Amino acid sequence: MSETTVTPASVDPKFKPSDLVTFRGYQQGAIGFLLYGTATGAVYFVVAPLFAAMLPDVKWSLGVVSTALLIRGLLSIPVAPLTGWLVARYGVRPIVMIGTVFTALFTALTGTVSNPVEFGFIFGVALSVADSFMGFIPATTVVHKWFMSKRGVVMGLVNSGAGFGGLIFAPLMSVLVGNFGWRHALYVLAAIILVLGIPSIWLKRGPREVGQWVDGVEGRVIPEHGRAD
C-alpha cells in the first residue's frame, strides 16, 4: 500500500485570485464569517436598542436585564468546552445547523416573555447556549480544518465577522424596533437569523471530503497529534 506524500507546512503557497474560486477553503471561511457575524451581531449587538424599547414597556428594573447578561457571561465557561466537544465529535455542520435553528427559535420566544423569570431563562440561558453552537468555536474550527500556512490571515478575516455583525445588526434592530415594536422586531430578527444560517448546509468536515488538500496544496494534511510536521 502506497503512503501519501505529505507536503511540509513550511512550503507557503503563493495566493492567486483564482484560489477564491477553485479552493473550497475560502468559501468555507466566508460561511464561517457570515455565521459568526450573525451569531454575534444578532444576539449581542442588538441588546442596546432592544432594552431601550423593552424596559419602558415591561416596567422591569435594569437589574433584571443585567442579571440575564451576567448569566450569559457565566454560562460561557461551561458551554464553550461543550461546544468544542460536540464539534469534534459530530462535525461543524450539524452543530451549526442546530445552533441556527434554536438561536432563531429562542430569539422569537424572547418576544413572548411576560415576566423576569421567563426572560432570564430564554434570553439569558437558552439563547446563550444556542448561539454558542453557531458562533466562534465552529467558525474557528472551519479555519483550522482547511488552512495551515494562511491560517492566521483567514482566522483574522473570519473573526472580523463579529465586528461586521455589530455594524449591521445594531442599526438594523433600531429600525425594526422603531417600525414594529420590540416584540415583533424579535420575530423579524429570528427570521433573518434563520435565513442567514442556510449556508451552513454547505459546510464540510474538511478538504478531503471534497477531494482537496489543506491550503489547496496537493499532499498537505494537518499533522496528527504528537507528530512534528
Side-chain angles (χ1 to χ4, degrees):
M1 183 175 64
S2 60
E3 185 177 345
T4 302
T5 302
V6 178
T7 303
S10 57
V11 178
D12 189 7
K14 184 177 181 181
F15 173 78
K16 305 184 295 297
S18 60
D19 292 341
L20 296 174
V21 177
T22 59
F23 181 47
R24 296 282 291 276
Y26 292 108
Q27 299 163 28
Q28 296 288 294
I31 296 174
F33 172 91
L34 173 64
L35 294 172
Y36 187 30
T38 301
T40 305
V43 174
Y44 291 94
F45 282 90
V46 300
V47 164
L50 172 63
F51 288 176
M54 184 180 72
L55 289 179
D57 181 39
V58 296
K59 304 298 190 296
W60 297 341
S61 69
L62 188 60
V64 171
V65 294
S66 298
T67 300
L69 293 176
L70 175 62
I71 292 172
R72 281 189 173 192
L74 294 176
L75 268 181
S76 65
I77 299 173
V79 170
L82 172 63
T83 303
W85 180 82
L86 290 172
V87 168
R89 177 71 183 273
Y90 299 105
V92 173
R93 180 169 55 197
I95 301 305
V96 170
M97 292 178 69
I98 291 171
T100 298
V101 171
F102 280 97
T103 297
L105 173 63
F106 291 130
T107 295
L109 286 177
T110 302
T112 68
V113 298
S114 59
N115 59 69
V117 175
E118 290 179 353
F119 178 76
F121 178 74
I122 296 174
F123 185 82
V125 178
L127 185 56
S128 178
V129 174
D131 173 70
S132 70
F133 288 173
M134 73 176 292
F136 176 74
I137 292 176
T140 54
T141 300
V142 168
V143 178
H144 276 273
K145 292 285 188 180
W146 286 82
F147 295 93
M148 285 182 67
S149 64
K150 289 183 170 55
R151 183 177 291 169
V153 174
V154 179
M155 186 73 75
L157 292 172
V158 170
N159 286 348
S160 69
F164 185 77
L167 182 66
I168 298 298
F169 280 97
L172 174 62
M173 191 61 178
S174 296
V175 172
L176 292 177
V177 168
N179 284 276
F180 303 109
W182 70 271
R183 293 186 185 274
H184 288 87
L186 286 169
Y187 303 153
V188 176
L189 181 63
I192 293 173
I193 293 171
L194 205 56
V195 170
L196 293 178
I198 291 176
S200 63
I201 64 177
W202 290 293
L203 288 171
K204 304 297 181 182
R205 279 187 170 270
R208 301 306 299 143
E209 186 175 346
V210 293
Q212 294 189 333
W213 301 89
V214 174
D215 288 326
V217 177
E218 186 172 354
R220 176 170 291 178
V221 297
I222 302 295
E224 296 179 8
H225 292 294
R227 289 185 57 187
D229 180 73

